[in-house]
Amino acid sequence: MVTAPPSTDVSRLHAAAVARALSDPKRLCVVEKLGAGERSVSELSRDVGCQVPNMSQHLAVLRAAGLVASRREGSTVRYRLVDPRVLDACRLLQQVAG
Amino acid sequence: MVTAPPSTDVSRLHAAAVARALSDPKRLCVVEKLGAGERSVSELSRDVGCQVPNMSQHLAVLRAAGLVASRREGSTVRYRLVDPRVLDACRLLQQVAG
DNA sequence: GCGCGGCTTGCGTACTTGCGCAAGTGATGA
DNA sequence: TCATCACTTGCGCAAGTACGCAAGCCGCGC
């Protein structure tokens, strides 16, 4: 298997960083939207209901955690999920929270 | 099915709270330890390597998120996971972080 | 009752975060 | 070239967080 359960200090550190990135409702919403396909910053800020600079910061957080990646397309920048398992993580979080 | 993908605002709020609770390496470590069975506060603080009051606070955070529950046993207090899926969430976070 | 070990709580401090707003960068079209 | 749109970055502030330390609470044994 790819992932034995060693749980070293560093792996916990990274996992905590990922959890941190997912610990905001707006970012959770962004991840869900991106689960349906690429979106631009302005689309996401409209869907989530925040200003563009704010969304840009949230996306920067998600990117720093390695959860999303960006791609320039003409004058717009389109974001996507790096790993579809992030969506699973979101759903699992909601189940546990339920 | 148990898990439709509605993702209302409140469910995202709760999920974010859970993610928030898991967004600390020490708390992640605690969850893993508790995955192996009940532990007392002093055991956990020793394993994780922090002072008892600090561990107590981390446990309070996890309890506020509904992830752990406590039980008095004589003079000690033993904590346990409320839902084993929390462990799955931890593992998934580590995989995504990998 | 009394002290003691096990936990919790309160308090102060240093640090991080989310947000709005203004300014900067970069590509597009006139 | 210049104006414009899309996005990013810098800045300041209010709010939240982790930690250590000291004090309080609570069962248990003496």
Side-chain angles (χ1 to χ4, degrees):
Chain A
M1 60 170 84
V2 206
T3 320
S7 287
T8 71
D9 286 2
V10 279
S11 82
R12 265 194 292 270
L13 210 73
H14 293 160
V18 170
R20 179 73 191 72
L22 296 177
S23 69
D24 182 284
K26 287 189 173 78
R27 288 196 289 265
L28 234 34
C29 190
V30 165
V31 168
E32 289 172 10
K33 300 290 183 194
L34 293 184
E38 285 190 345
R39 298 288 158 96
S40 69
V41 179
S42 43
E43 283 173 334
L44 290 170
S45 71
R46 207 177 322 112
D47 291 351
V48 172
C50 69
Q51 300 187 199
V52 172
N54 188 6
M55 176 53 64
S56 191
Q57 288 182 152
H58 282 303
L59 289 167
V61 170
L62 289 171
R63 180 164 43 190
L67 303 185
V68 305
S70 60
R71 177 177 69 87
R72 250 213 128 87
E73 187 180 81
S75 68
T76 76
V77 177
R78 300 184 75 76
Y79 280 79
R80 65 182 179 281
L81 286 185
V82 164
D83 187 338
R85 284 177 300 181
V86 178
L87 251 188
D88 298 336
C90 288
R91 283 194 269 263
L92 192 48
L93 286 172
Q94 300 203 54
Q95 288 180 34
V96 171
Chain B
M1 61 167 87
V2 208
T3 322
S7 286
T8 71
D9 286 1
V10 278
S11 81
R12 265 194 292 270
L13 210 71
H14 293 161
V18 170
R20 177 75 191 68
L22 297 177
S23 70
D24 182 284
K26 287 189 173 77
R27 288 197 289 266
L28 235 33
C29 190
V30 165
V31 168
E32 289 173 9
K33 300 289 183 194
L34 293 183
E38 285 190 345
R39 298 288 158 95
S40 70
V41 179
S42 43
E43 283 172 336
L44 289 169
S45 71
R46 209 178 320 115
D47 291 351
V48 171
C50 68
Q51 300 188 199
V52 172
N54 188 4
M55 175 54 65
S56 190
Q57 288 183 153
H58 281 303
L59 289 167
V61 170
L62 289 171
R63 180 164 43 189
L67 303 186
V68 306
S70 61
R71 177 176 68 87
R72 247 210 131 89
E73 187 178 82
S75 68
T76 76
V77 177
R78 301 184 72 76
Y79 281 81
R80 65 182 179 281
L81 286 185
V82 165
D83 187 338
R85 283 177 299 182
V86 178
L87 251 188
D88 298 337
C90 288
R91 282 195 269 264
L92 191 48
L93 286 172
Q94 300 204 58
Q95 288 179 34
V96 171

